[in-house]
Amino acid sequence: MRLSIWKCSYFLLALLLVPNRAFAMHIMEGFLPIEWAIFWWALSLPFIILGLRSIRKTIEANPETKMMLGLSGAFAFVLSALKIPSVTGSCSHPTGVGLGTVLFGPLAMSVIGSIVLLFQALLLAHGGLTTLGANAFSMAIAGPFIAYFIFKGSQKLGLSFSIAVFLAAMLGDLGTYLVTSVQLALAFPSEVGGFFASFTKFAGIFALTQIPLAISEGILTVIVMNFLKKYNVSELKALRVFSAKEVH
């Protein structure tokens, strides 16, 4: 039922009204050297362009999924706005990209995630415009692609739908922070040990807060997907999230 998506969307939007301190953010504005900021922008743009084409094709073929697309964006916005301070210049937080990835694929999520990051940078002072390319690559591109391959691989292995969704959301979240650690290590290599020493430091500190957050995100994503599976089967079939056999 479309009404169920509205109810879920209203719940997520209500969470947006909870005040959030602005010091907690993605890689913040001006933190990356300009050459790295440009590099990540250049690397992210092709995915975003392909993502726009993917979304257009999906909407043209299945216009009834528009509301579910909005739900995916709201889910990612809310979860990635929940900040736990971690490494200087960045933070730990859920990403929320697993849901949209399972529903629409990684290319579509590159656009949804980038829009989420843009609004957070402009409205909540989370992240920045110069670092948007880097944040988009880690959260809206790398994370969704990892989640997608984990989800499809789990299905091929015969794992249950819920387990496949859980692993996709959890490992997509952790993958995002591995990529963020790489980005920070490339921009700020250690004077002793270079890139690998810096990566170990960033990834190790992130792990303290990110592992429990990733597990929590996986569980929450399963709950939302099971809700959609119960009330929005036709839309999920149209998106080819699972077969009719899996539904029953």
Side-chain angles (χ1 to χ4, degrees):
M1 298 179 182
R2 294 186 177 182
L3 182 59
S4 63
I5 299 181
W6 275 113
K7 290 180 180 178
C8 198
S9 298
Y10 286 149
F11 172 74
L12 292 171
L13 289 173
L15 290 179
L16 296 180
L17 299 178
V18 178
N20 210 346
R21 296 183 66 181
F23 69 84
M25 59 186 70
H26 311 277
I27 299 177
M28 64 184 179
E29 180 67 42
F31 190 73
L32 290 178
I34 188 63
E35 63 271 19
W36 282 110
I38 294 173
F39 173 79
W40 293 113
W41 261 110
L43 207 57
S44 298
L45 283 175
F47 290 95
I48 295 173
I49 293 171
L50 291 174
L52 288 170
R53 294 176 59 185
S54 175
I55 290 175
R56 186 181 70 245
K57 290 181 180 179
T58 299
I59 295 303
E60 288 177 353
N62 304 288
E64 70 277 11
T65 61
K66 287 181 181 179
M67 208 171 288
M68 202 170 288
L69 189 68
L71 173 64
S72 300
F75 187 78
F77 190 106
V78 171
L79 262 66
S80 60
L82 304 175
K83 311 296 180 179
I84 297 178
S86 183
V87 181
T88 300
S90 190
C91 63
S92 285
H93 58 80
T95 63
V97 299
L99 179 68
T101 300
V102 170
L103 293 174
F104 294 96
L107 286 176
M109 202 61 217
S110 69
V111 176
I112 298 171
S114 295
I115 292 173
V116 165
L117 289 164
L118 175 62
F119 274 89
Q120 288 180 348
L122 294 175
L123 302 178
L124 302 179
H126 296 158
L129 297 180
T130 62
T131 57
L132 181 59
N135 289 327
F137 188 83
S138 61
M139 193 184 97
I141 297 171
F145 269 95
I146 292 170
Y148 178 79
F149 287 119
I150 293 296
F151 179 69
K152 292 300 182 182
S154 298
Q155 286 185 315
K156 288 183 179 180
L157 290 174
L159 300 180
S160 70
F161 179 75
S162 293
I163 294 297
V165 171
F166 172 78
L167 291 175
M170 180 186 70
L171 296 178
D173 180 300
L174 292 177
T176 293
Y177 279 89
L178 286 177
V179 174
T180 300
S181 298
V182 169
Q183 292 173 324
L184 293 173
L186 287 171
F188 306 103
S190 174
E191 294 182 3
V192 180
F195 166 81
F196 291 103
S198 185
F199 171 78
T200 301
K201 178 186 71 174
F202 288 127
I205 297 175
F206 274 136
L208 295 175
T209 50
Q210 201 58 39
I211 290 177
L213 281 176
I215 294 173
S216 300
E217 178 175 345
I219 295 172
L220 179 60
T221 304
V222 170
I223 292 173
V224 175
M225 282 301 304
N226 284 338
F227 181 84
L228 295 176
K229 185 177 178 180
K230 182 177 180 180
Y231 294 104
N232 301 92
V233 175
S234 59
E235 287 89 343
L236 295 183
K237 285 183 179 179
L239 292 171
R240 299 180 181 178
V241 174
F242 45 64
S243 65
K245 181 179 180 180
E246 288 176 307
V247 175
H248 301 290

